Amino acid sequence: MKVRDLGRAIIREENFKEPHKRSRVWNHQEALSILEHKKGSKKIEALSLGSRGVIIMPSEVANLRHLRFLDGNEMFLVGDFNNLLSNLRWLSWRWCPFEFVATNFHLVNLIVLDLSHSYVSEKWIGWNQIRVASKLKVLDLSNCNDLMRTPDLSMLVSLERLILEGCRNLIEIDPSIGKLKLLTALNLNGCHALEGLPYEIGCLDALTEILMPRSSYAFKLPETIGNLKSLLTLDVSHSWIRLLPNSIGGLVKLRRLNLFKCLKIKKLPDSVGELRSLVELDLSSTSLGHLPDSIGNLKQLTVLRMSHIIGITKLPRAIGLMEKLEELEASGCHGLTGEIPEEIGRLSCLRILDLSFTRISKLPINVCCLSNLQTLNLESCSKLNQLPKLPQSLSCLRWAFDTLKFCKNRTYMPERDSACHSSIVPLYEVEERASGKTKRFLPWFLSSSLREFEVGNLSIISWMNYSHLSNLSTLRLQSCSISDYFDVLPVERPILSEQVKIMQLEKEQRESVVSEMERWSGLNIGSFLLQIKRLRHLEMRTCKFFSRELRLSHMKILEEVNLFGCSLFVEICGLEELGSLCFLSIVDCSSMERMSNLSKLRKLRKLRVGECPKLKSVEGLNHLESLQKLWIHDCCLLESLADTSNLCLECSTIEHCERLPNHNSYCRCHDNRDSDTEPDHAKYF
């Protein structure tokens, strides 16, 4: 926009006082004045008239011999335009009226015609004169709501782009469209009443892209669509199409096929496997019951999206034949159960594997062979109780659970041996004498490439060495606990009593476990966290850590700390050392009594402390020079806060802290809201 305005300003300097001597006149008032006073000249190449409903007579444009661009909304052309506007290349005539009284309006050199939002229909008399524009390449009829059928377009032999987007009453496309041999793009998005494509659509040899209408109840694709040898993109998303024709395999150049939210599609034809150029396939939110084995023939496919398909119960083994697949998304396929086929281990190019919110129970042991895998999402996989060894390339692992729905313990169980064919067994189990229940733990064999790690419902052994996670920048723990074995074993019993079962491990593996236990025994959650020194984002939700202190001082580059529902922490130490901290939220920590002085956190922008009934002080607020948003609430023992009137806060809210003297709460974020509306501060934290 700025570049355009700069260009127009330069043109205006051509002759500031006499606009008719400029090459382009963009000011609407100046353009209208030129027409009214018939001051048009050969120098003018572009005129913009704006939305004036102006009436244009032949005499007003007679001198505009070199006019190439004309922009005018609601224009009325009246009179004989013979041999006028012959050099016009671009006509933007939005909101064109149905009445057309001009004669000899022959725009033989016109290339772009914009009739969007117009009142034209297939019976518009203007089509008779528009058809002589044999050089026309772009015809924009978007949002022409009076159009029920496209006109005869057979004379527009040079047309390359036909835009019918938003023609909500369009029912039929005239068969003459088959004569447009140079048409490359057809936009039907928003043509909700359209019943289908004509048989003649198969004659469009140059067509590369079709955008189909959404939510069209009776939409059909003709068999001839398979003749579109140049088609690159076929987007029928959000439509009520029931099936793809068998001829779909004839689209030999098709690179992108989008069936997203085609709720009526229950089956793919086997011919889909003939789409040898296909790179991206989106089957998400369809009603498919299975994927055909022919899908394995899609050797060029890099992206397969199949999320939220309830009827899918398994992945075909042929999926392992898609050698170039980089992204496989199957999130929300609630019917997907059992084991993922081992053939998935052949996908050496796979970078993203999303199996979240499925009911899979097992990953194949050769998943470690996915040497390029970077993101593995197993969130809320309620049946998945163990993992095999994961590839070293992994940078993001999500294995958290919805604790309201799934409350069983989970375990992470990579092999010590690097061989992919090793059997999967629990690394170790600890049997609690009192309850007889089995706890499962997160060991230290995590990929050193991990940058983001989200996990839930696990016990973490504090004495294990996680210092190799040197690249980890984001850690999210949900409903996790820290254990050092003394929580479950009597002190007088040896550490390797009969309650500790190290199952099916080689001698050197057992020795390694013993060595680590001796080295790290007795350490706590702080010891675990302090091993991860490059952490930038730390979130702990409803975690039951028996350590009274949370020490963060060694994580010098922490930028965000979010603690919620960690009910056993009494004190947070080391906050004063976190010079990079920008966000701090401590909520529902019911045992919290103390936290470090915050005065050195010069980069802190957002601070929330709430629902900490034992917290007595929050010190150093008046020194937080970067603080923008402050929310302290529901801390019933909090007795004093520093005066923050010296800070330029956008939002300062102190509420439901009974022992605090009156504080002036204000929130500029909500100044424009109804004063009776309760501000929703949570959205800002």
Side-chain angles (χ1 to χ4, degrees):
M1 187 68 73
K2 292 182 179 180
V3 175
R4 185 199 68 180
D5 293 341
L6 177 61
R8 291 182 175 182
I10 293 173
I11 290 295
R12 191 165 185 169
E13 293 300 321
E14 290 179 353
N15 197 312
F16 186 79
K17 294 184 178 181
E18 298 180 286
H20 62 280
K21 294 184 178 180
R22 300 180 205 145
S23 61
R24 295 163 180 81
V25 182
W26 302 113
N27 183 277
H28 301 331
Q29 294 291 344
E30 292 175 341
L32 287 170
S33 177
I34 289 173
L35 292 183
E36 290 172 3
H37 297 93
K38 301 178 182 178
K39 289 185 177 181
S41 68
K42 294 180 180 179
K43 187 171 180 61
I44 297 177
E45 297 182 18
L47 272 181
S48 181
L49 304 175
S51 301
R52 296 287 180 174
V54 63
I55 297 175
I56 298 180
M57 306 293 290
S59 59
E60 295 174 336
V61 298
N63 294 326
L64 299 174
R65 297 292 182 182
H66 294 158
L67 190 68
R68 295 188 299 134
F69 177 88
L70 177 59
D71 176 18
N73 300 337
E74 302 179 64
M75 293 187 302
F76 289 87
L77 303 179
V78 179
D80 187 353
F81 285 80
N82 189 38
N83 294 324
L84 298 180
L85 302 177
S86 58
N87 285 309
L88 199 64
R89 301 292 195 276
W90 189 313
L91 175 57
S92 184
W93 194 0
R94 295 179 294 274
W95 287 279
C96 172
F98 181 76
E99 297 81 7
F100 188 88
V101 295
T103 58
N104 295 313
F105 190 62
H106 300 153
L107 305 178
V108 293
N109 289 306
L110 194 65
I111 295 176
V112 178
L113 175 58
D114 182 358
L115 292 174
S116 59
H117 299 277
S118 293
Y119 303 99
V120 303
S121 71
E122 63 275 15
K123 297 179 180 180
W124 184 51
I125 197 172
W127 294 122
N128 294 327
Q129 300 191 52
I130 295 298
R131 289 190 183 101
V132 303
S134 59
K135 296 181 181 179
L136 192 69
K137 293 185 177 182
V138 179
L139 177 57
D140 188 349
L141 298 174
S142 57
N143 298 291
C144 291
N145 292 326
D146 292 337
L147 199 63
M148 299 182 67
R149 176 190 174 108
T150 58
D152 183 352
L153 303 173
S154 58
M155 300 295 291
L156 304 179
V157 293
S158 299
L159 199 64
E160 297 178 3
R161 296 180 60 85
L162 177 57
I163 305 171
L164 297 166
E165 182 174 8
C167 293
R168 60 189 182 190
N169 293 314
L170 186 68
I171 298 175
E172 183 181 356
I173 294 178
D174 190 83
S176 62
I177 195 173
K179 301 291 182 65
L180 306 180
K181 300 298 184 181
L182 299 181
L183 194 69
T184 60
L186 177 60
N187 188 344
L188 302 172
N189 188 23
C191 299
H192 301 317
L194 191 63
E195 298 177 353
L197 298 178
Y199 178 88
E200 291 77 9
I201 199 77
C203 300
L204 302 180
D205 298 333
L207 195 64
T208 61
E209 179 182 19
I210 304 180
L211 292 180
M212 295 294 187
R214 298 183 176 186
S215 302
S216 183
Y217 286 91
F219 195 81
K220 297 179 181 179
L221 292 177
E223 281 288 337
T224 55
I225 199 168
N227 297 335
L228 302 178
K229 305 301 183 184
S230 299
L231 196 65
L232 301 176
T233 300
L234 178 58
D235 186 344
V236 292
S237 59
H238 296 87
S239 73
W240 283 56
I241 185 173
R242 292 182 177 273
L243 52 85
L244 294 178
N246 288 326
S247 64
I248 195 78
L251 304 178
V252 292
K253 291 186 178 180
L254 193 69
R255 294 178 58 82
R256 180 174 178 265
L257 175 58
N258 189 357
L259 303 177
F260 176 67
K261 279 201 171 181
C262 290
L263 302 178
K264 296 294 185 180
I265 289 186
K266 298 181 178 180
K267 183 180 179 181
L268 292 179
D270 288 336
S271 59
V272 76
E274 299 172 17
L275 301 174
R276 303 299 173 85
S277 300
L278 200 64
V279 173
E280 182 177 333
L281 176 59
D282 194 340
L283 305 172
S284 300
S285 299
T286 58
S287 297
L288 292 174
H290 71 282
L291 299 182
D293 288 337
S294 63
I295 202 170
N297 296 328
L298 302 178
K299 303 298 185 182
Q300 301 300 317
L301 198 70
T302 60
V303 177
L304 175 57
R305 298 189 179 98
M306 47 178 294
S307 300
H308 304 287
I309 306 179
I310 307 300
I312 291 287
T313 59
K314 64 178 181 179
L315 296 179
R317 296 189 178 277
I319 205 167
L321 300 176
M322 295 188 286
E323 305 163 349
K324 295 187 178 180
L325 195 65
E326 297 179 10
E327 300 180 24
L328 175 56
E329 299 178 10
S331 175
C333 293
H334 300 302
L336 189 60
T337 59
E339 301 182 13
I340 297 298
E342 63 180 13
E343 284 77 7
I344 202 171
R346 301 175 185 173
L347 303 178
S348 59
C349 295
L350 197 66
R351 296 184 298 106
I352 298 174
L353 178 57
D354 188 350
L355 298 170
S356 58
F357 298 94
T358 64
R359 297 183 181 276
I360 62 169
S361 59
K362 187 177 181 181
L363 290 180
I365 56 177
N366 63 353
V367 73
C368 64
C369 298
L370 300 177
S371 56
N372 285 297
L373 191 66
Q374 298 173 14
T375 299
L376 177 59
N377 191 351
L378 301 170
E379 183 180 358
S380 291
C381 290
S382 60
K383 303 296 184 181
L384 187 64
N385 291 317
Q386 60 185 35
L387 296 183
K389 179 181 178 181
L390 299 178
Q392 287 298 311
S393 58
L394 199 65
S395 61
C396 177
L397 173 60
R398 296 188 180 97
W399 196 27
F401 301 89
D402 186 342
T403 55
L404 296 179
K405 296 180 180 179
F406 312 119
C407 301
K408 297 180 180 179
N409 289 327
R410 306 286 178 249
T411 181
Y412 175 83
M413 300 179 302
E415 327 287 336
R416 183 71 168 182
D417 194 330
S418 61
C420 295
H421 53 76
S422 300
S423 59
I424 299 179
V425 295
L427 182 65
Y428 48 80
E429 296 179 346
V430 177
E431 184 178 330
E432 298 181 40
R433 294 183 66 191
S435 64
K437 294 180 180 178
T438 298
K439 275 190 176 181
R440 292 180 174 177
F441 298 90
L442 178 74
W444 66 92
F445 300 121
L446 292 169
S447 167
S448 60
S449 300
L450 273 180
R451 296 186 178 182
E452 181 178 348
F453 186 32
E454 180 177 339
V455 70
N457 293 68
L458 286 173
S459 291
I460 302 172
I461 298 297
S462 62
W463 44 257
M464 286 187 176
N465 186 359
Y466 292 93
S467 60
H468 65 287
L469 299 178
S470 57
N471 292 308
L472 195 65
S473 63
T474 298
L475 176 62
R476 298 186 183 94
L477 303 175
Q478 177 178 323
S479 301
C480 291
S481 61
I482 289 288
S483 176
D484 58 6
Y485 280 145
F486 296 104
D487 297 330
V488 295
L489 293 177
V491 176
E492 69 273 15
R493 298 295 296 272
I495 191 65
L496 292 179
S497 67
E498 64 272 13
Q499 276 75 27
V500 180
K501 302 173 183 177
I502 304 180
M503 304 175 63
Q504 301 182 30
L505 297 177
E506 299 296 334
K507 178 180 178 181
E508 60 270 20
Q509 292 175 283
R510 294 198 300 270
E511 292 174 351
S512 176
V513 172
V514 173
S515 174
E516 289 297 324
M517 291 169 66
E518 292 174 347
R519 179 181 175 189
W520 294 95
S521 61
L523 301 183
N524 56 23
I525 177 60
S527 303
F528 162 66
L529 290 177
L530 292 180
Q531 298 175 57
I532 311 173
K533 297 184 178 181
R534 294 188 182 180
L535 206 62
R536 294 182 180 272
H537 310 280
L538 172 63
E539 180 176 330
M540 293 191 289
R541 303 181 69 85
T542 61
C543 292
K544 302 296 183 182
F545 299 134
F546 291 97
S547 172
R548 292 170 56 87
E549 292 183 353
L550 175 62
R551 294 187 175 274
L552 303 174
S553 56
H554 284 70
M555 291 184 283
K556 303 291 186 183
I557 62 175
L558 260 180
E559 297 176 3
E560 295 185 14
V561 174
N562 190 344
L563 305 179
F564 179 86
C566 298
S567 58
L568 300 181
F569 286 141
V570 174
E571 182 176 4
I572 301 180
C573 305
L575 285 172
E576 70 278 4
E577 302 294 331
L578 308 183
S580 299
L581 197 66
C582 300
F583 176 93
L584 176 60
S585 177
I586 304 171
V587 179
D588 193 22
C589 295
S590 55
S591 299
M592 182 74 63
E593 297 179 5
R594 298 175 298 279
M595 56 190 297
S596 304
N597 190 301
L598 306 179
S599 59
K600 294 183 180 181
L601 304 183
R602 300 304 172 91
K603 293 184 178 181
L604 193 67
R605 296 196 299 269
K606 294 183 181 181
L607 172 62
R608 178 184 180 185
V609 180
E611 301 176 44
C612 298
K614 294 185 179 181
L615 187 65
K616 296 182 179 180
S617 65
V618 180
E619 299 178 355
L621 292 182
N622 55 321
H623 296 286
L624 303 179
E625 56 192 36
S626 298
L627 195 65
Q628 299 172 359
K629 293 180 172 62
L630 172 65
W631 186 17
I632 297 180
H633 62 95
D634 300 285
C635 297
C636 57
L637 293 185
L638 197 59
E639 297 178 342
S640 64
L641 287 176
D643 182 9
T644 58
S645 59
N646 61 313
L647 304 178
C648 297
L649 294 175
E650 295 178 8
C651 176
S652 176
T653 302
I654 316 294
E655 57 187 356
H656 309 305
C657 300
E658 291 83 353
R659 295 197 180 186
L660 281 178
N662 292 333
H663 271 259
N664 292 325
S665 295
Y666 58 88
C667 186
R668 297 193 185 103
C669 308
H670 303 280
D671 281 349
N672 296 325
R673 294 187 174 195
D674 187 338
S675 58
D676 295 332
T677 303
E678 184 73 17
D680 181 13
H681 298 289
K683 65 183 291 187
Y684 297 103
F685 290 87

